[in-house]
Amino acid sequence: MMMVSQSSILRGMSISSGIAHGAAYVLSSVDQMVVPRRSVEASEVDAEIERFNVAIGAAEKELLALKEDVARRIGASEGDIFAAQALAVRDRRLHEQVVTAVQHSRINVEAAVVEVIEKFVRTVEQVSDPYLRERAADIRDIGRRILAALAKDDGLSVLEIPEGSILVAEELLPSATARFELSRVRALVTDRGGRFSHTSILARSARIPAVSGIREVPFKIETGDQLIVDGVSGVVYVNPDESVRREYERLEAELSGYRAGLQKGLDLPSVTLDGTAVPLLANASKVSDTEAACLYRADGIGLYRTEFAFSIRSTFPTEEEQYQLWKRAAQRIHPRKIVLRLLDVGGDKQLPYFPLPQARNPSLAQRGIRLLLKNPGVLRSQLRALLRVSAEHPVSVLIPVVGGIEEVRATRAVLSQAMAELSAEGKAFDPRIPLGAMIEVPSAAVLTAVLAKEVDFFSLGTNDLVQYVLAADREDASVGDYYQPLHPAVLRVIRFVADAARTAGRPLSICGEMAGDPAYTELLLGLGLREFSVAPGEILEVKNAIRAATLADAETLATAALALGSTAEVAELLERRRLARR
Ligand code: PEP
Ligand code: MG
């Protein structure tokens, strides 16, 4: 019997628009290990506890083998770290509390492990002794190892999510999303992840609603609960009554009708009312996204985030694997251009097999090109793969998280070296492959004119730019009020970059999430943007907004916005403009 909780309403914030209904599928997680959370029958309790005992045995065995290996390769004291973990896996309190959680809360053992480990971590994190606080990472590590052993035990590496589910999780990291088919999911509900987080980007590109910022949501909803996710106003209805359900059925029908209406615009050109063509490209992160880009008649791929291909593997893909992958994407979109961004990890984006240096503030530490330049082998193999694809397709290379000219020069040096190697090997490539810089760090924005001397094009990454200009973490909902794309400082930076790029004669595209919101289109045109790269599902709505605008009106709007001093005033101006246009 599936336990169904009472009717309730949970309020968060919308991070991807739309309405959906369906049954909840709850995931729990320790760090990046995501596990399903479900109720178990009384008759299943013993079997669950037995699975736990087997997993502990397996984890202990693994740790003891690791201890021997590390002691032999590195040293006895390093090996002892794993000996201590092997003891901790057998900890009596851990065992008792997991068993109690399974027996009393009637939850599966994976969810019980997550609950107990998180409780231990919270306790340790509260102590004042910094040495003891550091132990939280060890406890998480132990949790991960037990969960990995449980996953092996029942082949859980792929999550079998029932068709039409609504996924409920603390946070959806790329490594977790790689383990299920997003097409089976109707909506996302999470605790963490702001409007510009990866959960949001994922939801928008899949065209599914998402609500975030609901504290401890995996503990407030149970697998099997009926949910309505209102991604327009950021509300989740748990087991709603008949009247609420009827209301939402109507709205869902209206919205899908509107979308169907937009399909008619598919073959219309992306051009303003006064005749300026504004190329509309697609953002992609996997080869199948190029399919959606073609469906929506994108003018190319303006941003291909290469991280996804790295995050679904357990080791770095070889140059040949990368070549095959990017070639397939470039082939699909040919003869249109494809802008592939070099691996952008660090900050909030992690790879399971690429341990990053500990950082007090990961967003301000080694990420993007900084990390690649510290790991030139990784950079070199990606550049070689991209160069080889450029022999047959119009490929451009985009550098992430550029702060100044030094990173551009250092990247060019590795690019030149890769070209020399390929020439010596007799392999073809485009020697004039365009190299571009992301403008997403304020220093790069300020230096647009300087960078223009050494790069061929720019791409404005407003997701990070907003976070860095306003000192508000894009992933942290608690500072969501400070993360404001319409902040006057952000608008002035955008205008500055657009002017500098135009004066220097360098193409500028905008690929952050701002570009995909039709409410911003006219303003962005007025600020000087003439090329947009958005999630495939957003192309038609943005095209509609471009086709409804004139450059003259857009410039008047931008001038008025730039004269304002607060986000609220800018938002009000846009709202008044929207009403006037109706
Ligand atoms: C950005 O920062 O705006 C961007 C497009 O890159 P990402 O969201 O991948 O950091
Ligand atoms: Mg970025």
Side-chain angles (χ1 to χ4, degrees):
M1 180 202 66
M2 192 69 77
M3 283 188 296
V4 173
S5 36
Q6 291 192 323
S7 178
S8 62
I9 300 177
L10 305 173
R11 289 178 202 285
M13 66 174 179
S14 162
I15 56 169
S16 175
S17 193
I19 309 286
H21 69 278
Y25 187 88
V26 183
L27 297 175
S28 294
S29 64
V30 168
D31 259 5
Q32 308 220 17
M33 283 291 302
V34 174
V35 299
R37 180 184 170 91
R38 59 183 171 82
S39 312
V40 296
E41 311 259 351
S43 58
E44 293 175 273
V45 165
D46 287 347
E48 284 297 291
I49 293 172
E50 182 50 24
R51 288 182 57 225
F52 180 49
N53 290 332
V54 171
I56 280 188
E60 184 185 39
K61 208 164 130 198
E62 250 176 52
L63 284 163
L64 291 175
L66 254 176
K67 173 198 157 220
E68 294 301 328
D69 190 49
V70 171
R72 203 174 47 247
R73 287 170 196 267
I74 307 174
S77 60
E78 282 78 6
D80 284 346
I81 296 171
F82 296 101
Q85 285 203 355
L87 277 178
V89 163
R90 285 275 176 211
D91 182 71
R92 196 172 43 81
R93 272 188 323 141
L94 172 70
H95 193 269
E96 272 170 16
Q97 294 196 22
V98 169
V99 168
T100 307
V102 173
Q103 284 170 337
H104 293 177
S105 311
R106 289 280 183 78
I107 50 176
N108 58 321
V109 69
E110 287 89 349
V113 169
V114 169
E115 219 172 278
V116 174
I117 291 285
E118 284 298 340
K119 194 166 77 189
F120 284 7
V121 166
R122 277 199 295 273
T123 313
V124 170
E125 279 175 345
Q126 272 156 16
V127 299
S128 54
D129 179 342
Y131 174 77
L132 279 181
R133 273 207 312 272
E134 291 282 314
R135 302 284 67 79
D138 285 336
I139 298 173
R140 282 213 168 92
D141 213 34
I142 288 160
R144 269 199 301 265
R145 197 166 289 280
I146 298 173
L147 290 174
L150 281 164
K152 264 184 217 148
D153 148 48
D154 67 359
L156 244 178
S157 63
V158 171
L159 291 165
E160 283 295 340
I161 295 184
E163 184 76 43
S165 298
I166 292 180
L167 212 59
V168 178
E170 191 181 329
E171 184 175 18
L172 274 173
L173 295 164
S175 55
T177 48
R179 292 177 52 209
F180 58 82
E181 265 189 62
L182 198 61
S183 58
R184 301 176 78 87
V185 174
R186 275 198 203 146
L188 306 175
V189 178
T190 60
D191 177 340
R192 289 207 293 263
R195 215 173 310 153
F196 296 82
S197 67
H198 293 282
T199 308
S200 159
I201 293 172
L202 188 82
R204 285 169 199 224
S205 62
R207 245 12 222 158
I208 56 174
V211 171
S212 173
I214 302 178
R215 280 191 57 116
E216 310 213 315
V217 70
F219 303 101
K220 292 182 175 156
I221 295 176
E222 294 196 6
T223 294
D225 278 345
Q226 289 301 315
L227 304 182
I228 292 175
V229 178
D230 177 345
V232 180
S233 42
V235 176
V236 177
Y237 298 82
V238 185
N239 300 317
D241 62 27
E242 187 53 31
S243 61
V244 175
R245 279 210 297 271
R246 263 203 310 270
E247 262 302 304
Y248 273 94
E249 270 164 24
R250 183 184 53 76
L251 184 55
E252 264 184 85
E254 276 171 9
L255 287 178
S256 53
Y258 172 65
R259 293 228 171 96
L262 277 175
Q263 309 293 327
K264 287 192 225 110
L266 218 51
D267 288 315
L268 297 174
S270 174
V271 52
T272 59
L273 272 181
D274 45 2
T276 303
V278 180
L280 248 178
L281 294 86
N283 289 349
S285 54
K286 48 192 184 305
V287 176
S288 51
D289 293 335
T290 56
E291 206 53 56
C294 292
L295 199 68
Y296 283 101
R297 316 275 200 274
D299 292 315
I301 301 290
L303 168 68
Y304 193 110
R305 293 181 166 95
T306 58
E307 299 69 81
F308 186 78
F310 285 77
S311 75
I312 55 173
R313 288 173 165 74
S314 52
T315 54
F316 276 110
T318 61
E319 176 190 320
E320 187 56 28
E321 280 175 305
Q322 293 185 53
Y323 168 66
Q324 295 297 344
L325 199 67
W326 317 139
K327 189 169 80 170
R328 265 198 295 146
Q331 255 166 0
R332 184 67 190 94
I333 209 76
H334 195 94
R336 292 159 286 184
K337 74 169 174 185
I338 177 167
V339 179
L340 287 127
R341 188 174 69 186
L342 296 170
L343 179 67
D344 182 9
V345 287
D348 55 304
K349 306 168 193 161
Q350 312 260 343
L351 293 179
Y353 49 88
F354 188 22
L356 300 178
Q358 273 292 332
R360 256 166 60 88
N361 188 337
S363 293
L364 301 182
Q366 287 186 36
R367 59 165 295 202
I369 193 61
R370 299 175 183 179
L371 196 63
L372 288 176
L373 291 171
K374 279 259 171 349
N375 296 272
V378 178
L379 175 58
R380 190 175 138 263
S381 72
Q382 190 171 25
L383 283 173
R384 281 179 54 109
L386 296 178
L387 278 167
R388 286 169 59 198
V389 181
S390 75
E392 289 175 73
H393 304 287
V395 170
S396 305
V397 174
L398 182 57
I399 316 175
V401 199
V402 170
I405 201 82
E406 295 83 355
E407 294 100 295
V408 173
R409 288 186 180 147
T411 308
R412 266 219 191 272
V414 183
L415 185 66
S416 303
Q417 183 204 339
M419 286 182 181
E421 287 168 11
L422 291 173
S423 298
E425 293 162 26
K427 294 190 174 133
F429 60 88
D430 172 9
R432 290 159 44 139
I433 187 168
L435 183 67
M438 284 290 289
I439 299 289
E440 53 185 345
V441 175
S443 57
V446 170
L447 291 177
T448 303
V450 176
L451 294 173
K453 300 198 177 98
E454 313 227 1
V455 296
D456 304 298
F457 68 97
F458 294 112
S459 191
L460 192 63
T462 47
N463 303 341
D464 276 310
L465 188 65
V466 173
Q467 116 165 314
Y468 291 129
V469 167
L470 301 177
D473 188 336
R474 65 192 265 190
E475 300 286 331
D476 185 345
S478 73
V479 287
D481 286 347
Y482 292 93
Y483 187 104
Q484 295 291 358
L486 292 183
H487 193 288
V490 173
L491 303 187
R492 285 171 201 219
V493 173
I494 294 178
R495 163 66 131 236
F496 179 86
V497 171
D499 284 350
R502 196 188 52 250
T503 307
R506 290 285 176 269
L508 167 71
S509 173
I510 175 168
C511 64
E513 296 302 289
M514 259 183 111
D517 188 337
Y520 299 155
T521 308
E522 190 182 22
L523 177 62
L524 291 170
L525 286 170
L527 289 172
L529 288 150
R530 295 290 181 270
E531 184 177 305
F532 290 60
S533 188
V534 306
E538 293 170 337
I539 287 181
L540 292 176
E541 278 171 86
V542 174
K543 195 203 287 183
N544 233 16
I546 290 170
R547 292 178 57 82
T550 65
L551 284 190
D553 284 350
E555 273 154 23
T556 307
L557 180 69
T559 307
L562 286 168
L564 298 172
S566 73
T567 308
E569 287 167 298
V570 178
E572 212 175 285
L573 173 72
L574 289 195
E575 181 57 14
R576 266 187 278 128
R577 177 80 186 118
R578 187 181 71 83
L579 294 174
R581 264 199 314 256
R582 291 217 305 198

